[in-house]
Amino acid sequence: MEVGVDGAGAPLVVDAQVHGWDGRPQNQAGPAGEQFVADLHHRHRMVDPSPRPLSADRFGLVTPDALGTDVLGAVDRAVLVPATFDDLFVLGFAAPVWHLELAAEHPGRLVLSGQLDPADRTRARGIGAQVSRDGLGALTVLPARRPESPVALRAPWLRRALVRAEQAGARVVHLGVAPTARPPRGAPDWALTGVVLAGDAAHRPRWPSWAEPVRAGSALPVRARNAGPLPAGGLDPAEVRELAAALPRIRFVLGAGALPTPALVRLARLPNVLVLLTELLIALRRMPEPAAAALGELLAAFGPDRLMFGSGYPVARPARLVRDLLTFRYPEPLRGRYPELDDDVREALLGGTAARVYGLGDPRAPRAGRRRPAGTVALDHTPGAR
């Protein structure tokens, strides 16, 4: 597919994983929040394919202008995925209330996801009314307090809550889709985010226990022995399989695109399970052969109609990731071993699948006044280009 700077032939692009967060010092709940943001910024400097990394100040707060320039200047629509992490941040990290304000500044361009803590039944009260009131197109099942908390999916009340949300309009559920400071031990060093499936990683690194939020009544942080990077909460693939089988009308999106492990590939047997490719496009530049093999395995298992593009912004910005996918070819040793990325496959990965899953119709209509960063893929369509 030839894609020039005039935008001719440019496909629809939907970034299915964007986080609008506030990680500024005044929102950090002690050393835990500070280290989490510092690790994320270090990760950004390592893996973002753009020539100039974001400064710490700009990285710490996603403003409407930054979102418009960095994301909506390069894609047609984006999905805002929340992650509050209340123990690490005073007012929440990527809080849904902030996402509502960002969406108000970019009407018609953003899909909102709510958050549901599988360990806190009280947060599920009124979930259907919340979906209707806020216009949520998805829900993110994620621990609200700490990201390394295990995620249990077997509670009957959780299924009932997801059904109520689906009936109100949130027909997509994100599992394990959250910003993670470091990959789990044993994962590729280019992995940005993703769900840790039981059996996929024998050892999970532990969050430094000295970096706990300050205890009530004490001016000193809790200090203890163990230290290590903060992992994502673990998911039991058997529980994912049971939940997806019990709720076939809901589409479950896994943030595990970097790890086409046997446990993940087996989940491809369920037609309502999809996977985000947040990590792989970054890896195609840093580690082309293993990343290309991972992408090929996921294509063979899930097909292009169940894989979606995501940048994980602001950890990585989407413009160059889009260009990389448009120009991707398998390295010579891998050619002929995996499904080819023809024009139809690329269009599905970049936005066709997400547009169908989130019910976006034709997201390219409200494009007036968009700014495009220099050197990025031009996605504006001239009249009649379709």
Side-chain angles (χ1 to χ4, degrees):
M1 177 185 296
E2 296 295 331
V3 180
V5 294
D6 61 352
L12 163 71
V13 181
V14 179
D15 191 335
Q17 186 182 355
V18 171
H19 308 286
W21 65 47
D22 183 355
R24 293 174 296 177
Q26 57 264 41
N27 193 34
Q28 297 167 4
E34 180 182 7
Q35 180 167 341
F36 185 66
V37 174
D39 282 348
L40 281 174
H41 189 233
H42 174 71
R43 197 81 190 136
H44 162 74
R45 294 178 66 88
M46 289 178 59
V47 302
D48 185 75
S50 301
R52 295 182 181 178
L54 298 175
S55 66
D57 289 341
R58 187 175 174 190
F59 184 82
L61 176 66
V62 177
T63 65
D65 287 345
L67 188 67
T69 300
D70 295 338
V71 178
L72 299 178
V75 306
D76 295 274
R77 289 276 185 93
V79 181
L80 286 175
V81 181
T84 54
F85 302 153
D86 294 337
D87 281 2
L88 279 64
F89 299 92
V90 178
L91 299 177
F93 187 46
V97 64
W98 180 230
H99 285 181
L100 281 170
E101 295 189 29
L102 291 172
E105 294 292 328
H106 298 284
R109 302 293 303 281
L110 300 170
V111 177
L112 290 170
S113 175
Q115 183 172 339
L116 191 60
D117 187 344
D120 190 348
R121 185 174 183 175
T122 62
R123 294 176 185 255
R125 293 173 182 168
I127 189 65
Q130 179 187 348
V131 168
S132 299
R133 182 186 68 243
D134 296 338
L136 304 180
L139 280 183
T140 300
V141 176
L142 190 71
R145 296 184 60 188
R146 301 187 67 85
E148 76 272 29
S149 304
V151 182
L153 302 174
R154 284 201 168 111
W157 69 262
L158 178 62
R159 295 188 185 185
R160 293 194 294 269
L162 295 179
V163 169
R164 293 197 299 272
E166 185 267 333
Q167 293 172 344
R171 299 178 178 86
V172 182
V173 172
H174 298 152
L175 299 175
V177 180
T180 1
R182 299 288 178 87
R185 184 179 301 168
D189 66 358
W190 39 264
L192 276 180
T193 183
V195 55
V196 179
L197 295 176
D200 285 347
H203 304 286
R204 294 176 183 164
R206 300 185 63 179
W207 174 247
S209 48
W210 55 263
E212 295 287 340
V214 176
R215 284 182 175 174
S218 171
L220 297 175
V222 179
R223 295 186 178 273
R225 301 178 300 277
N226 300 315
L230 179 69
L235 282 175
D236 185 340
E239 294 185 3
V240 176
R241 185 165 53 251
E242 291 175 13
L243 186 64
L247 304 175
R249 295 179 55 179
I250 297 176
R251 294 180 174 95
F252 293 89
V253 178
L254 298 179
L259 299 171
T261 57
L264 176 60
V265 170
R266 283 192 294 271
L267 290 175
R269 300 169 186 171
L270 295 164
N272 57 331
V273 173
L274 299 92
V275 173
L276 271 170
L277 301 175
T278 303
E279 303 86 350
L280 291 183
L281 295 181
I282 295 167
L284 290 176
R285 185 178 288 248
R286 292 170 53 83
M287 301 175 65
E289 191 164 323
L295 177 59
E297 290 178 25
L298 287 173
L299 271 173
F302 287 88
D305 292 335
R306 289 195 286 151
L307 300 177
M308 296 190 295
F309 167 76
S311 68
Y313 177 83
V315 176
R317 286 166 283 186
R320 287 182 176 243
L321 302 183
V322 172
R323 186 185 294 276
D324 287 349
L325 183 54
L326 288 171
T327 59
F328 170 76
R329 297 291 184 275
Y330 286 110
E332 186 63 36
L334 301 180
R335 289 179 185 171
R337 293 175 53 182
Y338 301 109
E340 288 298 327
L341 272 74
D342 58 20
D343 289 357
D344 290 340
V345 171
R346 294 178 205 274
E347 290 180 6
L349 299 184
L350 280 171
T353 298
R356 171 177 52 83
V357 167
Y358 294 99
L360 300 182
D362 183 3
R364 288 179 284 190
R367 302 179 61 86
R370 256 184 35 174
R371 290 175 291 176
R372 177 168 54 87
T376 62
V377 178
L379 296 174
D380 291 307
H381 302 270
T382 55
R386 296 184 60 208

